[in-house]
Amino acid sequence: MGTVEALTPNLSQADTAGLLEVDPDELAGYAADAAQPWFRRKLCADALAGRVPETRVPELLECIRDRSETPRARSALLGILGHREELRAWLYHEDRESDDAYGMPEAILSARGAAGDRTTAHDLATLANDPWAHRRVVGEAGLDALVARYGAEAIIADLGDARPEDRAFRVRMRHRAGEDVTTALADPDVGVAHLAHSLVDDEERLREYLEQAPTVEAKLWSACALYRLNNDLAEARTIYDSLGRPRVEVDGLDDEVRAAVRREYVPDCEPRTDPRWRLEAICVDPVQPADEDELLARARAALTAANLEPGTPRSDEPPGGRTTYNVLDHVGGSVAVSTLGRFVISNEANSAARSALEPAGFRWIDEPLASTTVTGLCTYFFGDRGPLEVRDLLFYWQD
């Protein structure tokens, strides 16, 4: 096995640092080789950034132009060669409008930015604010190329501040320049405020801002940012109490389910989550994780005592995925037992299982509660990043 093959057994285990030590001509050969798997070609193309051998440029440009080539390789090569004058006519040809293979519209847009086209700034700012990281980095690369050519202030002026993604770009540029972005904590868009909260790094400035912040949300973001910086729980709780312990009220959501959902999902929630959830999760006494084995043993015992002959617990968790429940098949049906607490649910009426489990201390999640949307808490779920219903949180499944 050659060096490149050894460094790139697959996408997740690639030694990207090692690829930077490989001769550029060898990398270019792999990047242009249609017989190689797409991930190896992409990785080799990425490792060529800033060091593409001139003798290899023509064949690599031809790979970009060839729509029969794998789009992952084409887009990666476009990322490192999009600024080339030889590509300019191709980039602006009307056929690019229909070049919609995976990743190509974004790569073409970013390449136009790299070529100095300021008319791409608005679309690049939108792309740079995309929830998908692989799209976001392409947009950021295009904007960075425009900034390198024209300066940050010129691109900020081009964009204005009407859209959240334009204000997010402004925040990133101000922070990159070492300027204070604390006032962006009051931005009406939760995504922009979240970005500012992740970037501010001056505790004293945050404490000063807390006294004058124009909205409760801005104060909440300030408190979350302070806690991120100093992990001072006492200070966070003092601020939380001074604000009246605000929280997102959800009709029909009782404190037991709320606590289980809060503990499981808020720490890794999506950026557009309401800061009330974030500060609540920091300041409220945490609920101890449920004992999954104990819950299953108790549920099996209850079903056995009711002569429902439960089978061995099975998990629906896919490889590399995640679930928050186990399934117990039994005579006449099956029940899902949440790993987050004493919660059970079934797709069937299943009155026999319910009659067995409720006296054993379990909570049967009926339809009204199951269909309650936990507003303000954004969780990743099959590509979406919004609020979920209780059923999808207590009995979560994601491949």
Side-chain angles (χ1 to χ4, degrees):
M1 181 181 291
T3 301
V4 171
E5 285 94 335
L7 293 171
T8 57
N10 54 52
L11 187 61
S12 62
Q13 295 179 313
D15 183 354
T16 54
L19 284 174
L20 297 177
E21 303 300 321
V22 175
D23 179 72
D25 191 71
E26 183 178 0
L27 289 174
Y30 275 91
D33 186 355
Q36 294 295 327
W38 70 264
F39 66 84
R40 182 167 294 138
R41 298 181 68 186
K42 176 190 183 307
L43 290 165
C44 288
D46 291 342
L48 277 170
R51 58 190 191 120
V52 179
E54 281 297 319
T55 57
R56 290 284 193 172
V57 168
E59 66 178 311
L60 295 178
L61 292 180
E62 187 54 37
C63 288
I64 293 172
R65 297 187 187 101
D66 186 353
R67 293 176 71 158
S68 69
E69 283 275 12
T70 175
R72 298 290 191 109
R74 292 178 69 209
S75 60
L77 288 169
L78 192 51
I80 62 171
L81 292 171
H83 63 286
R84 300 284 301 208
E85 184 62 30
E86 302 98 306
L87 269 186
R88 189 170 184 82
W90 178 87
L91 273 177
Y92 287 91
H93 192 279
E94 61 183 11
D95 286 350
R96 298 293 74 71
E97 296 297 322
S98 62
D99 199 345
D100 58 358
Y102 181 86
M104 284 303 294
E106 298 90 342
I108 290 168
L109 179 64
S110 186
R112 289 176 176 173
D117 183 357
R118 288 171 70 167
T119 68
T120 62
H122 282 82
D123 288 337
L124 285 169
T126 298
L127 192 59
N129 213 41
D130 195 276
W132 289 102
H134 69 278
R135 290 169 54 85
R136 191 164 59 246
V137 296
V138 175
E140 289 173 351
L143 285 172
D144 285 346
L146 289 176
V147 168
R149 185 180 293 241
Y150 302 109
E153 292 304 320
I155 306 306
I156 287 173
D158 286 348
L159 290 173
D161 61 4
R163 305 183 308 162
E165 52 264 52
D166 301 332
R167 299 195 299 276
F169 173 74
R170 184 184 298 259
V171 169
R172 285 193 290 269
M173 291 301 100
R174 295 288 190 245
H175 180 261
R176 183 182 294 181
E179 299 176 14
D180 180 30
V181 298
T182 308
T183 55
L185 296 169
D187 194 280
D189 182 81
V190 66
V192 178
H194 174 269
L195 173 64
H197 128 279
S198 71
L199 295 176
V200 291
D201 55 9
D202 186 332
E203 292 183 39
E204 289 309 311
R205 172 66 179 121
L206 280 167
R207 294 188 184 97
E208 173 188 298
Y209 180 73
L210 258 170
E211 299 300 318
Q212 60 187 14
T215 64
V216 171
E217 287 80 6
K219 293 178 184 292
L220 291 164
W221 284 118
S222 299
C224 290
L226 274 170
Y227 185 75
R228 175 180 62 80
L229 292 171
N230 61 25
N231 207 37
D232 188 336
L233 182 57
E235 181 179 35
R237 285 176 169 167
T238 296
I239 298 170
Y240 188 50
D241 290 342
S242 73
L243 296 175
R245 301 174 67 84
R247 69 181 202 168
V248 177
E249 297 295 346
V250 181
D251 290 342
L253 186 69
D254 61 80
D255 285 343
E256 182 183 24
V257 175
R258 183 186 189 96
V261 167
R262 181 180 65 229
R263 178 182 57 79
E264 181 70 14
Y265 295 101
V266 177
D268 297 315
C269 62
E270 293 293 316
R272 300 196 67 82
T273 293
D274 192 300
R276 290 166 178 80
W277 276 113
R278 297 177 184 274
L279 196 56
E280 178 183 340
I282 291 169
C283 296
V284 175
D285 290 332
V287 177
Q288 291 302 310
D291 186 328
E292 182 178 341
D293 292 335
E294 188 276 332
L295 287 170
L296 286 171
R298 185 151 51 94
R300 290 191 74 198
L303 293 172
T304 299
N307 297 316
L308 293 178
E309 302 177 14
T312 301
R314 60 179 172 84
S315 172
D316 287 342
E317 185 169 310
R322 175 189 176 197
T323 62
T324 61
Y325 66 90
N326 292 284
V327 177
L328 284 175
D329 296 311
H330 61 81
V331 173
S334 64
V335 293
V337 181
S338 177
T339 62
L340 307 188
R342 60 188 190 100
F343 315 112
V344 293
I345 199 170
S346 177
N347 290 329
E348 305 90 16
N350 217 340
S351 58
R354 180 169 189 167
S355 297
L357 291 168
E358 286 186 329
F362 286 92
R363 284 190 61 183
W364 195 271
I365 304 301
D366 283 313
E367 180 58 27
L369 177 55
S371 60
T372 296
T373 298
V374 182
T375 53
L377 175 56
C378 297
T379 302
Y380 181 84
F381 193 58
F382 290 97
D384 291 328
R385 293 171 171 81
L388 298 179
E389 293 182 348
V390 166
R391 79 171 87 247
D392 293 322
L393 294 167
L394 295 183
F395 308 96
Y396 183 88
W397 191 93
Q398 176 67 57
D399 64 8

